[in-house]
Amino acid sequence: MDSASDNSEKREVHTHASSTVQSYDVDVGAQLVAETDTPLTPQEASRLRAKIDWHIMPLMCVMYLITFMDKTTLGEAAVLGILEDAHLTANQYDWLGTIFYLSYLVFQYPQNLALQRFPVGKWMSINIFLWAVVLLCHAACKSFGSLLAVRFLLGMCEGAITPGFLIVTSMFYTHAEKTRRVGYWFLMNGFAVIILGFISYGLLFTRTTSFMPWQWLMIITGTVTLITSMLFWLFFPDSPTTARFLTPEERVAAIRRVQVNQSGVENKHFKKEQFLETIKDPKTWLMAFFAGSANIVNSLTNQRQLIVAQFGFNSIQTTLLGCVDGVVEILTIWLGVVLASQPSIGRSYAGVLIYIPAILGSILVSTLPFSNKIGLLFSYWISISAIAPFTIFLGWVSSITSGHTKRITTNGIVLCSYAIGNAVSQFMWKKQYQPRNHVPWAVITSCNFAAGIALVVLRFMLASENTKRERETPDDKHDAVYILDESGAERKVDKAFLDLTDKQNRDFRYVL
């Protein structure tokens, strides 16, 4: 009797203190780690991180290098004859830069939904393959209309890359590791500028009657991208739960390693309540404001060759000097992520520190005597360091957002704002402002300042919320949640793998 009574009491307690959820409601890692609490030693965690680095970081770095190289072919093509060969006016050239980002904007959220629904690595591979085909088609275009069409398609495909990389980085790395990893693949933009500069320099000396140098540029970059898409399909993982380079035991350990994030790995089902929470969350729109204002300076991507040429340098000098742009990007992004990784500085303050010289540089470009072309050139190089804070920010976004639908929705909104900033900024560079371009440089200076303020406000909001949560009574609402495994048995799931949002999980702390 006593034994029966005890069992009845236990079932009653279990009924009131716990709940059972369907496996599709929780994180994909829940089944692997449910009721397994074997801790990783620091040595095991370090060894596993090194293995993950060696298998995914090279592919991510190469892919981002090629992505940026392909995206900036338009800027290089400006000094390789595309304006004359395709009979483009200055306004039409600006539209070729703008249409890319308008397409990116239109397809950004559908791309994020697809990244949630389908295997991340495979979906990116398909888009990279299509990207390569479209880039190769550029070589056949000899009019504004045809170039506009292929640039539109290019923007559609590119929309999968950055959000896909952000998702994968969140799956495999802790919050403390994300900033540097995002920095590593984002600084490949600098290497892309250098490599593309040398390719363009060589193409200036090509002499083919039926093919212009800018067309060879499209063929070369398109072919490299095509090969990379195949490598991506074969070797890039979709998730730690299915990564072929990890053993079954290592997959469990990889998920355990990121448990500290309190944000899980991924969930393949769209959740309307998380979407609505994202829309109502004030920090979403503050981040969107930052992304838009921080990317006004990115208009220099397509304009930089023309700007440097206006300083008084010829085509060959301009092409070679463009390689220095890449060196500046590499050094400033590296410095930015190193500063951001210091607990005493953090993401927000690191971004502000980088903005200070960038703002000074943009002011000097507009105010130095136009006869001082060396001073203008160095001021321009200092001004492009303003790209580094956005890199820091990208690594920050996924560290302050939890819940997979909320994360992909936040990524979509932020990158839509990124596209808007890039699209509208192309039209600043009007012929009437040349050669001094006072208006565009004033806009860049103002937007960089506004972006710096946004970073400080965001840090204040998150720090205040962290302080509030520290004072709250511990929330045990999600401490006893179970899922049914394939045999029908209940298995307890840790709160970190319940696919809770950062608002729902009161144990979640915002990284500063």
Side-chain angles (χ1 to χ4, degrees):
M1 290 291 293
D2 289 341
S3 176
S5 177
D6 288 344
N7 288 336
S8 175
E9 185 178 345
K10 287 179 181 179
R11 284 195 298 270
E12 184 177 353
V13 171
H14 178 79
T15 302
H16 286 85
S18 66
S19 60
T20 303
V21 296
Q22 299 297 325
S23 59
Y24 59 76
D25 280 329
V26 299
D27 192 86
V28 295
Q31 289 280 10
L32 284 181
V33 300
E35 292 189 343
T36 60
D37 54 3
T38 305
L40 284 176
T41 66
Q43 293 78 16
E44 290 172 333
S46 179
R47 187 165 54 249
L48 183 58
R49 183 184 65 189
K51 186 173 183 178
I52 292 169
D53 279 341
W54 278 110
H55 280 83
I56 70 172
M57 287 307 299
L59 277 173
M60 293 178 80
C61 288
V62 169
M63 186 63 249
Y64 217 74
L65 182 151
I66 292 171
T67 298
F68 193 77
M69 192 164 65
D70 293 350
K71 188 164 55 177
T72 55
T73 49
L74 182 64
E76 295 294 336
V79 295
L80 294 178
I82 193 172
L83 296 175
E84 299 80 10
D85 200 36
H87 311 291
L88 299 176
T89 65
N91 187 55
Q92 288 174 331
Y93 178 78
D94 290 342
W95 262 108
L96 293 181
T98 298
I99 196 64
F100 175 93
Y101 288 106
L102 289 178
S103 174
Y104 187 102
L105 170 65
V106 170
F107 289 97
Q108 182 53 220
Y109 195 61
Q111 285 279 27
N112 272 274
L113 291 176
L115 287 165
Q116 181 179 27
R117 177 66 180 84
F118 304 113
V120 177
K122 299 300 182 289
W123 183 254
M124 281 196 290
S125 301
I126 292 170
N127 278 273
I128 296 164
F129 176 81
L130 295 175
W131 171 292
V133 173
V134 171
L135 193 61
L136 289 168
C137 290
H138 276 60
C141 299
K142 287 295 189 76
S143 67
F144 171 66
S146 58
L147 284 169
L148 194 73
V150 291
R151 292 292 294 179
F152 180 86
L153 294 174
L154 209 61
M156 176 184 71
C157 298
E158 206 268 349
I161 308 304
T162 300
F165 275 18
L166 291 175
I167 290 171
V168 171
T169 305
S170 295
M171 288 179 181
F172 284 94
Y173 295 103
T174 66
H175 291 330
E177 299 163 350
K178 287 178 190 176
T179 300
R180 285 182 182 263
R181 297 315 182 283
V182 171
Y184 293 156
W185 52 257
F186 205 92
L187 64 76
M188 289 298 111
N189 290 357
F191 284 102
V193 171
I194 296 171
I195 294 170
L196 200 60
F198 281 117
I199 292 174
S200 299
Y201 176 74
L203 290 174
L204 282 170
F205 297 97
T206 58
R207 296 291 183 268
T208 51
T209 55
S210 59
F211 233 57
M212 293 287 288
W214 71 267
Q215 292 173 299
W216 281 116
L217 179 66
M218 301 301 178
I219 293 296
I220 292 169
T221 52
T223 302
V224 172
T225 307
L226 192 65
I227 294 170
T228 305
S229 70
M230 298 174 186
L231 294 175
F232 231 72
W233 178 274
L234 293 172
F235 300 111
F236 197 75
D238 298 309
S239 162
T241 61
T242 58
R244 287 184 294 175
F245 66 87
L246 296 175
T247 65
E249 294 77 17
E250 287 174 334
R251 292 172 189 170
V252 175
I255 295 170
R256 275 290 176 209
R257 206 179 71 82
V258 298
Q259 185 174 348
V260 66
N261 291 347
Q262 288 290 315
S263 55
V265 178
E266 67 172 338
N267 182 285
K268 289 298 185 184
H269 297 269
F270 181 83
K271 297 182 178 180
K272 181 180 177 181
E273 65 276 13
Q274 290 194 11
F275 172 82
L276 294 175
E277 181 181 310
T278 310
I279 299 300
K280 296 174 183 178
D281 193 340
K283 79 172 185 294
T284 300
W285 302 106
L286 182 57
M287 290 191 290
F289 172 80
F290 170 82
S293 56
N295 277 284
I296 297 299
V297 70
N298 213 29
S299 60
L300 295 173
T301 299
N302 290 327
Q303 301 294 332
R304 61 190 181 85
Q305 299 282 36
L306 300 176
I307 292 169
V308 173
Q310 288 164 6
F311 290 161
F313 298 96
N314 61 37
S315 295
I316 292 177
Q317 291 171 332
T318 298
T319 302
L320 287 176
L321 288 171
C323 297
V324 181
D325 294 19
V327 175
V328 173
E329 289 189 28
I330 292 168
L331 292 177
T332 53
I333 290 174
W334 177 82
L335 176 61
V337 297
V338 168
L339 289 174
S341 299
Q342 304 303 312
S344 58
I345 299 176
R347 283 78 173 165
S348 172
Y349 294 154
V352 171
L353 288 173
I354 298 293
Y355 269 132
I356 293 172
I359 291 172
L360 177 62
S362 60
I363 291 173
L364 288 174
V365 172
S366 191
T367 56
L368 283 176
F370 203 59
S371 57
N372 185 3
K373 68 177 186 179
I374 300 301
L376 291 170
L377 182 62
F378 274 85
S379 298
Y380 159 74
W381 282 333
I382 295 171
S383 73
I384 62 178
S385 62
I387 66 167
F390 184 68
T391 308
I392 297 169
F393 171 75
L394 282 179
W396 198 15
V397 170
S398 59
S399 298
I400 57 178
T401 309
S402 183
H404 200 68
T405 298
K406 184 172 184 178
R407 190 182 300 138
I408 65 106
T409 304
T410 300
N411 288 345
I413 292 172
V414 164
L415 291 173
C416 280
S417 187
Y418 155 87
I420 292 171
N422 277 282
V424 300
S425 62
Q426 302 296 327
F427 290 105
M428 300 188 302
W429 304 94
K430 295 182 180 294
K431 191 174 183 62
Q432 67 200 65
Y433 301 141
Q434 297 175 359
R436 289 313 310 257
N437 293 307
H438 287 303
V439 171
W441 285 111
V443 173
I444 287 174
T445 303
S446 302
C447 288
N448 286 344
F449 182 80
I453 296 297
L455 285 178
V456 174
V457 174
L458 181 59
R459 179 189 172 96
F460 174 79
M461 288 174 58
L462 299 179
S464 298
E465 180 62 23
N466 282 345
T467 302
K468 177 182 175 183
R469 294 187 182 195
E470 291 293 341
R471 294 172 179 167
E472 292 177 349
T473 303
D475 180 15
D476 60 357
K477 178 181 178 182
H478 303 287
D479 286 347
V481 178
Y482 295 77
I483 57 172
L484 297 177
D485 63 16
E486 295 179 354
S487 65
E490 288 187 345
R491 303 176 67 187
K492 188 175 181 180
V493 182
D494 187 274
K495 185 185 296 186
F497 299 104
L498 292 177
D499 194 37
L500 301 175
T501 68
D502 51 283
K503 295 283 188 183
Q504 294 170 329
N505 184 358
R506 305 309 292 177
D507 288 340
F508 186 94
R509 294 296 181 269
Y510 296 103
V511 177
L512 303 178

